[in-house]
């Protein structure tokens, strides 16, 4: 195990009806004037946005709003939000939605106190050191942004999708998590969220670091719980207990606990981000296509940890590592298929992906070498894209 520092400072307020506490939570962190950021309309249709605004106003907090944030969020609304905050002396950002809304809220929070363009943080030109506080009302368990220090934004004109990672600066101050709010999710979004949270654990599980048994076992426990609860939420979208288990899994998958004491990989995410940047597919669905391809590449070269995953997660009995690994990958694909997810580019709706262009962009945006389990160069990432055809 490697040395590590672990701090997950977000205050999680979890359970039925908890969105009514947003006013109190915001007041407790000193909010006086907030910008409420939300998505394309689900929070308006469900009445959640009104409930959130009413709760804030009941605490004498002034409310401005910015809606219409799209999945795979882009830079335009971030700039608009920064302008609204400066014009109205906003002191706190509240995100009502999923990863796309939360990441936009974080980008706005970062941009307000900065004199240059917010994209400087994403391009690596500036280092994130301060941001306005961000609070979250989560409506989809998936990206884990409610507990992560990350924000993923696409520079629309150039289709460059960058994940900015910070240790603490961008961690939300609080996240309100009511599983009932997820009953209205379309099945494809529920399933894509499940693939994304599994991928967040697997990016940390497939590590070159040895002797991380405790972190392995924590990760395996969360993965096995997700696999058990997933069919229940797919079959019965208003199953509160299953929704609650899936919602908490999404946070544990990505708030850092599953990565303690080890190097993480993140090649599959980098590879996927080029797909969602170019073809605007749902991130989790893209991962359901790419992760099995990445694992297949690894099974042929360094099967040990993939075989351990196969045996511990899917109870594969095969004793030879490569064969066990390949059997585990088939189980994973079967699981994704069973909840309605694609496992090939064609099933994802991208029958003829421009692999050369994605590889070119990937290594310009993320560096010559990506990943940690086996570091990958352009010839390797090209093969992984091809394995996903
Ligand atoms: O926009 P609305 O109308 O709200 O609809 C959304 C959207 O269409 C809908 N939705 C959300 N909650 C709903 C609902 N529909 C009905 N009922 C509800 N309760 O779901 C759709 C997807 O929303 P989105 O926010 O895009 O989902 P997700 O949470 O999967 O976020 C994906 C984004 O997060 C990034 C991804 O790359 C992608 O851009 N990621 C962010 C990470 C982070 N910040 O730590 C890590 C991840 O690896 C990921 O890269
Ligand atoms: Zn992800």
């Amino acid at each position: 195990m490697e040395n590590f520092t672990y701090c997950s400072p977000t205050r999680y307020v979890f359970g039925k009806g908890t969105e009514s506490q947003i006013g109190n939570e915001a007041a407790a962190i000193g909010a006086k004037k907030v910008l409420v950021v939300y998505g394309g309309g689900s929070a308006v249709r469900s009445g959640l946005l009104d409930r959130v605004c009413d709760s804030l106003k009941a605490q004498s907090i002034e409310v401005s709003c910015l809606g219409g944030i799209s999945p795979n969020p882009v830079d335009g609304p971030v700039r608009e939000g920064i302008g609204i905050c400066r014009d109205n002396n906003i002191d706190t950002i509240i995100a009502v939605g999923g990863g796309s809304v939360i990441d936009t809220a974080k980008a706005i929070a970062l941009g307000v106190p900065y004199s240059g363009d917010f994209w400087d943080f994403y391009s690596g030109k500036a280092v994130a050191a301060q941001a306005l506080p961000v609070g979250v009302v989560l409506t989809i368990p998936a990206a884990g942004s409610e507990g992560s220090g990350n924000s993923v934004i696409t520079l629309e004109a150039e289709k460059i999708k960058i994940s900015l990672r910070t240790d603490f600066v961008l961690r939300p101050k609080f996240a309100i998590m009511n599983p009932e709010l997820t009953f209205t999710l379309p099945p494809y979004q529920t399933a894509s969220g499940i693939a994304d949270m599994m991928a967040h654990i697997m990016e940390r599980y497939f590590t070159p670091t040895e002797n991380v048994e405790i972190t392995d076992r924590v990760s395996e426990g969360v993965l096995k719980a997700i696999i058990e609860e997933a069919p229940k939420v797919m079959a019965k979208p208003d199953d509160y207990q299953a929704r609650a288990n899936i919602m908490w899994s999404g946070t544990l998958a990505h708030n850092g606990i599953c990565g303690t004491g080890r190097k993480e990989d993140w090649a599959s995410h980098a590879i996927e981000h080029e797909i969602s940047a170019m073809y605007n597919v749902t991130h989790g669905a893209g991962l359901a296509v790419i992760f099995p391809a990445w694992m297949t590449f690894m099974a042929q070269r360094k099967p040990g940890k993939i075989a351990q995953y196969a045996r511990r997660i899917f109870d594969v009995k095969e004793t030879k590592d490569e064969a066990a690994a390949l059997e585990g990958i088939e189980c994973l694909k079967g699981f994704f298929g069973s909840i309605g997810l694609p496992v090939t580019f064609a099933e994802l709706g991208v029958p003829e992906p421009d692999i050369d262009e994605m590889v070119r962009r990937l290594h310009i945006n993320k560096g010559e070498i990506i990943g940690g389990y086996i570091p990958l160069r352009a010839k390797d990432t090209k093969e992984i894209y091809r394995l996903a055809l």
Side-chain angles (χ1 to χ4, degrees):
M1 194 189 293
E2 298 187 356
N3 290 2
F4 66 89
T5 303
Y6 175 63
C7 177
S8 180
T10 303
R11 176 178 155 88
Y12 301 107
V13 182
F14 193 100
K16 290 182 184 174
T18 44
E19 66 273 18
S20 65
Q21 296 175 38
I22 178 83
N24 286 334
E25 290 297 324
I29 62 167
K32 300 267 186 297
K33 294 183 174 189
V34 304
L35 178 68
V36 174
V37 184
Y38 60 96
S42 72
V44 178
R45 286 192 299 277
S46 66
L48 174 64
L49 187 70
D50 283 343
R51 295 205 299 283
V52 165
C53 292
D54 289 348
S55 173
L56 290 163
K57 287 174 189 164
Q59 295 295 322
S60 306
I61 295 171
E62 272 181 42
V63 177
S64 303
C65 287
L66 173 65
I69 307 306
S70 61
N72 298 316
V74 294
D75 53 319
V78 175
R79 296 202 170 84
E80 192 184 341
I82 292 169
I84 296 173
C85 289
R86 289 185 181 152
D87 291 347
N88 295 281
N89 292 320
I90 301 283
D91 52 45
T92 304
I93 319 288
I94 303 289
V96 180
S100 299
V101 170
I102 303 168
D103 289 358
T104 301
K106 288 175 174 177
I108 295 169
L110 202 49
V112 173
Y114 179 62
S115 55
D117 182 33
F118 89 95
W119 188 256
D120 291 351
F121 297 108
Y122 293 76
S123 66
K125 206 170 139 191
V127 176
Q130 55 166 332
L132 296 186
V134 173
V136 170
V137 179
L138 186 66
T139 64
I140 169 172
S145 188
E146 70 281 3
S148 83
N150 305 359
S151 164
V152 187
I153 301 290
T154 299
L155 193 60
E156 192 172 20
E158 296 174 43
K159 290 191 161 58
I160 299 178
K161 186 174 188 178
I162 298 286
S163 175
L164 169 66
R165 304 189 75 176
T166 72
D167 265 351
F168 305 110
V169 178
L170 290 182
R171 299 235 188 200
K173 294 287 177 262
F174 62 82
I176 292 182
M177 303 171 63
N178 175 1
E180 291 171 314
L181 299 178
T182 68
F183 291 176
T184 52
L185 278 169
Y188 190 67
Q189 289 298 334
T190 298
S192 297
I194 286 166
D196 193 17
M197 61 182 79
M198 290 177 71
H200 295 159
I201 302 171
M202 287 152 61
E203 296 280 15
R204 296 169 162 103
Y205 189 84
F206 297 123
T207 171
T209 311
E210 296 190 345
N211 300 312
V212 278
E213 191 63 5
I214 176 64
T215 316
D216 273 0
R217 292 294 185 180
V218 169
S219 304
E220 289 157 8
V222 184
L223 279 170
K224 289 192 81 142
I226 294 170
I227 290 168
E228 254 178 58
E229 299 301 307
K232 298 182 196 167
V233 294
M234 298 310 297
K236 196 169 175 296
D238 61 352
D239 179 337
Y240 178 83
Q241 297 302 341
R243 286 287 194 188
N245 279 286
I246 287 292
M247 194 173 217
W248 189 228
S249 299
T251 305
L252 295 180
H254 201 38
N255 76 349
I257 189 78
C258 293
T260 45
R262 59 187 177 195
K263 286 199 173 59
E264 302 178 0
D265 189 78
W266 295 103
S268 298
H269 264 70
I271 291 169
E272 191 294 314
H273 279 163
E274 296 309 322
I275 307 175
S276 45
M278 272 180 69
Y279 300 104
N280 203 15
V281 300
T282 302
H283 167 65
L287 285 166
V289 172
I290 285 302
F291 228 114
W294 179 94
M295 290 166 77
T296 304
F297 180 94
M298 296 303 163
Q300 293 158 356
R301 292 162 178 82
K302 190 178 172 186
K305 201 70 189 269
I306 322 284
Q308 177 182 305
Y309 171 94
R311 294 184 184 117
R312 292 188 183 180
I313 303 298
F314 289 112
D315 297 321
V316 167
K317 301 287 180 247
E318 167 64 49
T319 52
K320 292 195 188 67
D321 275 0
E322 185 175 338
L326 292 172
E327 205 179 316
I329 295 161
E330 287 311 308
C331 295
L332 179 63
K333 285 187 188 173
F335 169 74
F336 284 152
S338 76
I339 58 170
L341 287 172
V343 292
T344 63
F345 269 112
E347 289 173 5
L348 185 64
V350 186
E352 289 178 12
D354 188 341
I355 290 178
D356 287 336
E357 180 60 10
M358 283 190 289
V359 170
R360 190 184 72 79
R361 287 167 163 272
L362 172 64
H363 292 280
I364 289 173
N365 296 337
K366 310 287 158 54
E368 197 183 332
I369 299 173
I370 60 165
Y373 186 66
I374 294 178
L376 303 170
R377 292 174 180 277
K379 67 172 177 20
D380 306 316
T381 52
K382 183 171 182 174
E383 188 174 338
I384 291 170
Y385 280 120
R386 292 188 63 79
L387 283 166
L389 283 172

